[in-house]
């Protein structure tokens, strides 16, 4: 079992929604320091003020950051301030396939997540002088299923699943000591599901997205955060976890492996 106590965390998308609840839960479980990255300066500053008052100064440091352009500088600031980062949680995400947003969606959900993961991998890897560590990447239930409603968002979360699983495979973990976990969240009651933020690649699809989401089981942000912490404590590198419907976190690593075994039939024959 991996412990939260006395570890240093970096969380992206940390000012609101699941990210903010994860930050609160980490501090309540004894995290030493947290670097909270987000583009939303007012909410991030308010969160830092609230949690510093509750848990003490220097436990949380909000860093305003657009992770698509400022990620390297923000991470370097966090490392300089705290000395080392034990766990990186790549939580930031956009769910809008609208024509004027989808490129940003890909940049946040995929490119920035991969960049953050590779940067963390390099400073953590034991074969290059690091102390090891954990990278937690957030995928989604849409990375496990197919739907006509959000093809671009689904593609980004499928990319996260495949990238994280492959980076976390045993040969990489044995070399580096860097554990990589994937979390597939179900529909969670956060601002990400606000009608104003949702977007489809056509107007007609957007209306169907709003109807479709309301039919899916919902979970609280606290339930999502609890599931993430359970996966952190118990997950092996390359593992995948389903956190949905206010249920306890469920490891689905074998399901994913079985699915890829089917998909790869005939590829190497």
């Amino acid at each position: 079992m991996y412990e939260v106590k006395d570890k240093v965390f970096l969380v992206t998308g940390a000012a609101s929604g699941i990210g903010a609840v994860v930050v609160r839960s980490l501090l309540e479980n004894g995290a030493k320091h947290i670097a909270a990255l987000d583009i939303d300066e007012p909410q991030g500053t308010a969160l830092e003020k609230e949690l510093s008052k509750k848990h003490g100064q220097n436990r949380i440091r909000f860093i305003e950051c657009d992770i698509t352009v400022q990620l390297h500088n923000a991470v370097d600031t966090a490392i300089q301030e705290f000395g080392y980062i034990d766990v990186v949680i790549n939580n930031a995400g956009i769910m809008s396939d609208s024509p004027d947003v989808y490129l940003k969606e890909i940049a946040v959900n995929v490119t920035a997540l991969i960049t953050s993961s590779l940067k963390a991998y390099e400073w953590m890897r034991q074969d290059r002088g690091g102390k090891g560590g954990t990278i937690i990447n957030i995928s989604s239930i849409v990375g496990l299923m197919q739907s006509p409603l959000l093809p671009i968002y689904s593609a980004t979360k499928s990319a996260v699943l495949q990238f994280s699983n492959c980076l976390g495979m045993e040969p990489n973990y044995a070399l580096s000591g860097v554990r990589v976990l994937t979390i597939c969240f179900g529909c969670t009651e956060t601002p990400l599901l606000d009608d104003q933020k949702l977007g489809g690649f056509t107007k007609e699809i957007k209306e169907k997205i709003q109807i479709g989401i309301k039919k899916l089981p919902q979970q609280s942000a606290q339930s999502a955060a609890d599931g993430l912490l359970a996966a952190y404590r118990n997950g092996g590198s390359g593992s995948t976890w389903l956190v949905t419907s206010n249920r306890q976190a469920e490891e689905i690593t074998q399901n994913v492996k079985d699915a890829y075994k089917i998909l790869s039939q005939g590829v190497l024959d």
Side-chain angles (χ1 to χ4, degrees):
M1 176 176 284
Y2 292 79
E3 296 295 336
V4 171
K5 185 174 175 58
D6 295 329
K7 295 293 192 301
V8 179
F9 291 78
L10 182 146
V11 184
T12 69
S16 62
I18 295 172
V21 179
V22 166
V23 168
R24 290 189 175 94
S25 297
L26 291 172
L27 287 173
E28 289 167 1
N29 281 273
K32 185 177 182 180
H33 301 295
I34 298 177
L37 277 57
D38 203 291
I39 198 170
D40 191 331
E41 191 276 334
Q43 289 203 74
T45 299
L47 183 70
E48 180 185 69
K49 182 177 180 181
E50 170 201 337
L51 296 179
S52 294
K53 183 177 181 180
K54 182 176 181 180
H55 296 283
Q57 296 298 316
N58 202 38
R59 297 287 301 283
I60 176 174
R61 165 83 147 84
F62 169 67
I63 302 173
E64 184 180 1
C65 174
D66 179 342
I67 60 172
T68 65
V69 294
Q70 300 166 310
L71 180 63
H72 287 289
N73 288 341
V75 172
D76 289 344
T77 296
I79 293 174
Q80 289 169 9
E81 181 152 342
F82 298 136
Y84 195 80
I85 296 173
D86 299 288
V87 183
V88 169
I89 302 174
N90 289 309
N91 167 73
I94 294 174
M95 186 165 65
S96 175
D97 284 5
S98 64
D100 58 341
V101 178
Y102 80 88
L103 289 176
K104 187 74 170 183
E105 177 181 49
I106 295 169
V108 170
N109 295 5
V110 181
T111 307
L113 179 143
I114 290 174
T115 299
S116 175
S117 297
L118 295 179
K119 189 173 180 68
Y121 188 85
E122 284 303 313
W123 86 64
M124 289 177 175
R125 55 189 296 182
Q126 293 174 345
D127 60 318
R128 298 286 178 84
K131 299 187 296 183
T134 300
I135 299 167
I136 301 177
N137 288 333
I138 306 305
S139 181
S140 166
I141 56 172
V142 301
L144 304 171
M145 55 189 284
Q146 293 185 318
S147 166
L149 299 180
L150 286 163
I152 303 168
Y153 180 72
S154 298
T156 67
K157 293 305 181 177
S158 297
V160 170
L161 177 66
Q162 179 77 319
F163 165 73
S164 305
N165 283 177
C166 292
L167 183 63
M169 290 177 76
E170 179 59 29
N172 294 332
Y173 177 68
L175 176 68
S176 66
V178 180
R179 186 174 58 130
V180 185
L181 311 178
T182 309
I183 311 293
C184 295
F185 284 136
C187 286
T188 307
E189 296 164 353
T190 71
L192 200 67
L193 298 184
D194 288 351
D195 287 348
Q196 296 301 316
K197 292 189 176 183
L198 288 170
F201 63 94
T202 68
K203 180 180 178 181
E204 295 78 14
I205 286 290
K206 180 177 180 178
E207 294 171 356
K208 292 180 179 179
I209 292 170
Q210 294 166 340
I211 295 170
I213 285 177
K214 291 175 182 177
K215 293 181 179 180
L216 291 171
Q218 305 286 308
Q219 69 180 352
S220 68
Q222 186 62 60
S223 181
D226 291 345
L228 185 149
L229 263 64
Y232 166 75
R233 291 188 173 107
N234 298 293
S237 190
S239 64
T240 304
W241 294 76
L242 177 64
V243 180
T244 188
S245 308
N246 288 320
R247 303 197 306 258
Q248 291 186 343
E250 175 187 357
E251 184 175 358
I252 59 168
T253 306
Q254 194 58 52
N255 290 357
V256 176
K257 288 182 177 180
D258 290 345
Y260 275 105
K261 186 176 180 180
I262 294 171
L263 287 171
S264 63
Q265 288 177 2
V267 172
L268 298 178
D269 295 346

